[in-house]
Amino acid sequence: MADLVSHPDEVKVVSKRFGKGATNLDRYLELDGYKAVQKALAMGPDAIINEVKNSGLRGRGGAGFSTGMKWSFVPKQSPKPKYVLCNGDESEPGTCKDRLIFEHDPHAVIEGVVIAGLSVGSHVGYIYVRGEYRYLSEIMQKAIRDAYARGFLGKNIFGSGYDFDVYWHGGAGAYEVGEESALMESLEGKRGIPRIRPPFPAVVGLWGGPTIINNAETLANVPHIIMGGAEWYAGLGPPKNGGTRLFCLSGHLSRPGVYELPMGYNLKKMIYEVAGGIPNGRKLKAVVPGGASTPVLTADEVDVGMDFDSLAKAGSMLGSGGVVVLDDATCMVKFALRTIKFYQHESCGWCIPCREGTDWLKKTLARFHAGAGLKKDIDNIYYLAENMLGRTFCPLGDAAAMPTMAFVKKFRKEFEDHLEGKPCPYEPLGRTMELPVLAH
Amino acid sequence: MRFSEQFEQRFTEMLGHYPTKRSVLVPTLLYAQDEAGFLSDEIIHEIAGRLDLTDLEVRNVISYYSMLTTKPRGKYNVQVCTNIACMLRGGEELLEHCSKKLGIGHKGTTADGLFSLEEVECIGACSWAPAVQVNYDFHENLTTVKMDKILDGYKSKV
Ligand SMILES: Cc1cc2nc3c(=O)[nH]c(=O)nc-3n(C[C@H](O)[C@H](O)[C@H](O)COP(=O)(O)O)c2cc1C
Ligand code: SF4
Ligand code: FES
């Protein structure tokens, strides 16, 4: 459905089978499908975990935690069943990559889930797909049925004596449900209210059993690591940032799209070479580098490697891989308002700093946007956001606070331009005149 | 209350996937809504009964999820994303355009019951912005001209 793009700098690992008909099981097998599971069956749990640890694979869902490490936290012995849960809720604004994996390579996700299961001695995996992605849950369900029919899933997979079941599960619209503990609540048929941690899901997860939760892209990488080896995978990116990443380039770009590039790829190059630069003769103003929750970078800060550690050093985050590019006719106050409006809408309302904080921020920013900001409120916005940080049950509060603080800190002048009575000075430049950016 | 055979088949199958009955609730509600258009008191009562839940427990879950509704919507629910990536490429203008063309606002339904309009959060089409979902169908890289054609297309389907 969604258009595929390509660029010579791409290194295709997870996207290797995109556009090649791999939803068809026979085709998938021709393209080396289901070899990794068989290899993993022969390797055994410890060797799988070591391989994934050494590959430097870090979670593609946002936090960038070492995947092998996460798997090693699951207790070997457990009186309750252990589970694998693939997170395909994909709702962080700017992110549209898991969708392509489900659409083009659903069996790779299944394989990743099974290998994760083998590594911890689990026998059941769930693949959670957000409700809006109905056409993808059809694709996923068919892939699962086909795999069962060949004996790749179910009892005695590949004649190994090991049983493994994989089920699909659908959401019904909620960003917060992408948060790992809310995801489990949702799968158990409840409202997506997070759980207090510890205990972490690796110890007490679904129905009280130890549970591995990983993003769909993380899991789709696993079969490639098993086949290509940890050393090869680690070598694709800088130290401790193994592999490649699906970068979702969006916003004011000539060639937006999802590109698979090595970890650490330079952001400036990504914008100007891979995605064709800024259209309509405009200049770059800012970039949100890893989904809406990551602190904005100014045009002067884009000469940076796109990996977890380099972006952390630059004061932001690699997050979910959603790179949103803003040109110089964008009003940052308006952009900040739209960002906070999202978090206010999605807050589950459980804790006060997040529920009240996002609402208050939204109201204050709306006042600025209407040209009625008060000078003292510029500091108040920052102060309010700062006080939400680390004071909430789940990281959604931080996800709302961090970008807000960066907008105020880095674009203070634009807030000052919206004070008492002055209409938005950026709106008249307005893009309504030059829209749509795309000609076709 | 009667659901389709496909619904019943899926429901029975899903019950076998989890250690607790309740786990099928969210996907089941969405499937039920797809058939009936909205979650009526009758449907809520029926599903609650099947899963050993109270009606209130089911209502609590419904109110959490943005896709679930207890009110009828138009046959075609036009969901316009105005979140950041779409906003930068005209999502808000697209919403306004649809609103004018259909003569309804956010969560409104046309008098003939054909269209509803909704402003939605990111639908995972950011690299192909601005994007709209009509029921489950994605429409991407939109312009107002393309949008008109799409809406006319749905209209002529009836
Ligand atoms: C509010 C919120 C929303 C999230 N949404 C998603 C999501 O849609 N998909 C995802 O994979 N991870 C999401 N995460 C991160 C998950 O909590 C979890 O860390 C991740 O799925 C772990 O997988 P990984 O280690 O492979 O990244 C979200 C986190 C928060 C706080
Ligand atoms: S931080 Fe927000 S979303 Fe997370 S638990 Fe608290 S209120 Fe809910
Ligand atoms: S922001 Fe509109 S689809 Fe993501």
Side-chain angles (χ1 to χ4, degrees), chain A residues 254-267:
Chain A
S254 297
R255 284 195 304 273
V258 178
Y259 298 88
E260 181 168 11
L261 295 159
M263 279 283 200
Y265 194 88
N266 184 279
L267 176 57

Side-chain angles (χ1 to χ4, degrees), chain A residues 284-306:
Chain A
L284 178 69
K285 182 184 257 186
V287 182
V288 176
S293 65
T294 59
V296 66
L297 300 174
T298 65
D300 297 334
E301 294 171 322
V302 298
D303 197 359
V304 62
M306 291 291 276

Side-chain angles (χ1 to χ4, degrees), chain A residues 176 194 346-352 354-355 392-397:
Chain A
E176 171 59 3
E346 302 298 325
S347 167
C348 82
W350 187 26
C351 42
I352 297 162
C354 170
R355 185 186 64 220
T392 52
F393 287 123
C394 93
L396 190 141

Side-chain angles (χ1 to χ4, degrees), chain A residues 185-251:
Chain A
E185 289 289 302
S186 178
L187 195 121
E188 291 181 13
K190 302 175 206 157
R191 292 166 71 92
I193 310 287
R195 298 178 183 173
I196 304 241
R197 279 145 291 172
F200 290 95
V203 183
V204 181
L206 280 171
W207 304 290
T211 304
I212 287 185
I213 302 171
N214 275 123
N215 170 258
E217 184 187 352
T218 310
L219 290 167
N221 268 291
V222 169
H224 299 290
I225 293 169
I226 297 298
M227 291 312 288
E231 205 177 317
W232 158 77
Y233 191 83
L236 295 174
K240 298 202 180 99
N241 288 268
T244 57
R245 220 177 156 167
L246 291 175
F247 288 104
C248 321
L249 289 153
S250 72

Side-chain angles (χ1 to χ4, degrees), chain B residues 62-86:
Chain B
I62 292 172
S63 68
Y64 181 88
Y65 295 90
S66 65
M67 292 174 74
L68 301 177
T69 177
T70 52
K71 295 192 189 79
R73 282 178 185 148
K75 187 171 162 66
Y76 300 110
N77 189 28
V78 181
Q79 303 150 79
V80 184
C81 174
T82 60
N83 209 314
I84 51 173
C86 288

Side-chain angles (χ1 to χ4, degrees), chain A residues 58-67 70 87-92 97-98 175-181 183 197 213-216 218-219 343 394-396 399:
Chain A
R58 293 168 67 172
R60 305 304 195 228
F65 194 78
S66 158
T67 305
K70 191 186 267 187
N87 190 345
D89 192 53
E90 183 155 80
S91 309
E92 170 86 355
K97 62 185 179 67
D98 298 339
Y175 164 69
E176 171 59 3
V177 151
E179 193 280 329
E180 57 178 19
S181 67
L183 186 73
R197 279 145 291 172
I213 302 171
N214 275 123
N215 170 258
T218 310
L219 290 167
Y343 290 104
C394 93
L396 190 141

